[in-house]
Amino acid sequence: MKVRFYATFRELIGRKEIELNSSRTVGELIDYLAEHYNPEIKKQLLESPHAKEAGKAIDGMILVNGHNILHLKGLDTELKDDDEVHIFPPAGGG
């Protein structure tokens, strides 16, 4: 599967895109990225105070084949080898 990163996540991972075949769910993908690239990505996506306050599974946005995982099975969304995943960091603004 192709995994593409945007904005600050490109800096954290050190790449714009990677290809993987090892993750079965979005949750496993995040664990893999934290272990093999940078643990900060997991902290920002799953452990931020904003995600917990808002009662959301993630802080940021993850799309699988163009569909937001919050409208699928969240972190349990299943992944296949031909999927395309886009990972966006939390958006700021006012």
Side-chain angles (χ1 to χ4, degrees):
M1 92 190 71
K2 287 185 182 179
V3 184
R4 296 184 182 191
F5 305 95
Y6 297 87
T8 56
F9 284 166
R10 281 186 182 171
E11 297 169 18
L12 286 177
I13 298 300
R15 300 171 130 179
K16 183 165 109 172
E17 176 181 303
I18 60 173
E19 291 205 30
L20 297 173
N21 293 321
S22 61
S23 301
R24 291 179 297 209
T25 66
V26 171
E28 286 181 14
L29 171 61
I30 294 169
D31 288 339
Y32 179 89
L33 294 172
E35 183 178 332
H36 292 91
Y37 289 91
N38 191 329
E40 188 63 27
I41 194 167
K42 184 174 182 176
K43 289 179 186 174
Q44 287 190 26
L45 282 170
L46 303 180
E47 300 168 8
S48 78
H50 183 262
K52 292 176 183 174
E53 288 172 16
K56 297 188 318 182
I58 64 164
D59 191 12
M61 184 169 54
I62 301 175
L63 304 177
V64 175
N65 300 324
H67 300 282
N68 191 322
I69 65 163
L70 296 178
H71 302 292
L72 300 171
K73 294 181 181 177
L75 296 173
D76 294 327
T77 300
E78 295 174 7
L79 298 172
K80 299 181 289 301
D81 288 345
D82 61 345
D83 285 342
E84 193 166 293
V85 180
H86 298 262
I87 302 178
F88 299 87

